[in-house]
Amino acid sequence: MEEKRIKTGIMGGTFNPIHYGHLLIAENAAEQFGLDEILFIPTGRSPHKSDRQILDAALRCDMIRLAISDNAAFRLSTIEIEADEVNYTYRTVDHLRDQYPDRELYFIMGGDSLQAFGTWRYPEHILDEAGLLVAVRDDVDEAELKEQIQSLEQRYPQARIACLKTPNYSLSSHRIRALAAKGRTIRYMVPEAVRCYIEEHHLYDTNI
């Protein structure tokens, strides 16, 4: 009898800070696609953002640990933070494939990122190694999204792309940082332990 392969989801981002929107997407991905675990992989050196825009990696990792501590399927991975080079998704997927050669990998991304996916570094290589789970909210234009998916599938025959349904939860890390910098409440936007950590360490008092 063939052994069941472990399904691993990949959640990348700066997580500056991690919030309930991230956690909702991860939970829905696990439920809808039977993922056994989800790796939260905070960015070390992003090709799109300067280091000045991103909170220190150790602080972001602390917040992720606090946020996922009550979910056995959620894990923190520091492979991008520990890497010496700029973080590109194809490199991260390569590292994970070397680490987990027998697992099914699924890269979780926002619907707004799908349109630009073809411009990423070596998208064909990412699709060779991992499926794409595209997080879409109820208010998204499904016809337009399906058209984008079909276009990518025609361009990359190996592509495995599926839509991940998520609640209409409109929130961004930038918004949370802005509110925290003004001394306004971020309660119920992030897990309570994360909120306390942010306030205790004054993380975003001047970092917007």
Side-chain angles (χ1 to χ4, degrees), residues 104-119:
E104 292 183 22
L105 300 179
Y106 296 88
F107 185 79
I108 302 167
M109 64 191 302
D112 55 346
S113 299
L114 185 66
Q115 190 170 7
F117 180 75
T119 68

Side-chain angles (χ1 to χ4, degrees), residues 44-60:
R45 297 174 58 195
S46 170
H48 307 298
K49 297 181 181 180
S50 70
D51 291 341
R52 290 180 302 174
Q53 294 177 292
I54 305 177
L55 198 66
D56 182 77
L59 297 172
R60 290 183 285 126

Side-chain angles (χ1 to χ4, degrees), residues 30 35 70 80 89 91 93 109 112 165 174 183 187:
L35 304 185
D70 63 346
E80 290 196 355
T89 300
R91 287 175 175 164
V93 170
M109 64 191 302
D112 55 346
K165 283 291 189 179
H174 181 272
R187 193 185 295 272

Side-chain angles (χ1 to χ4, degrees), residues 21 36 53 64 66 74 97 102 112 116 124 126 133 158 173 186 190 199:
D36 298 290
Q53 294 177 292
I64 293 171
L66 290 170
F74 291 176
R97 176 53 67 209
D102 298 324
D112 55 346
E124 68 284 353
I126 298 171
L133 303 183
Q158 77 275 40
S173 294
I186 57 172
V190 298
E199 293 184 357

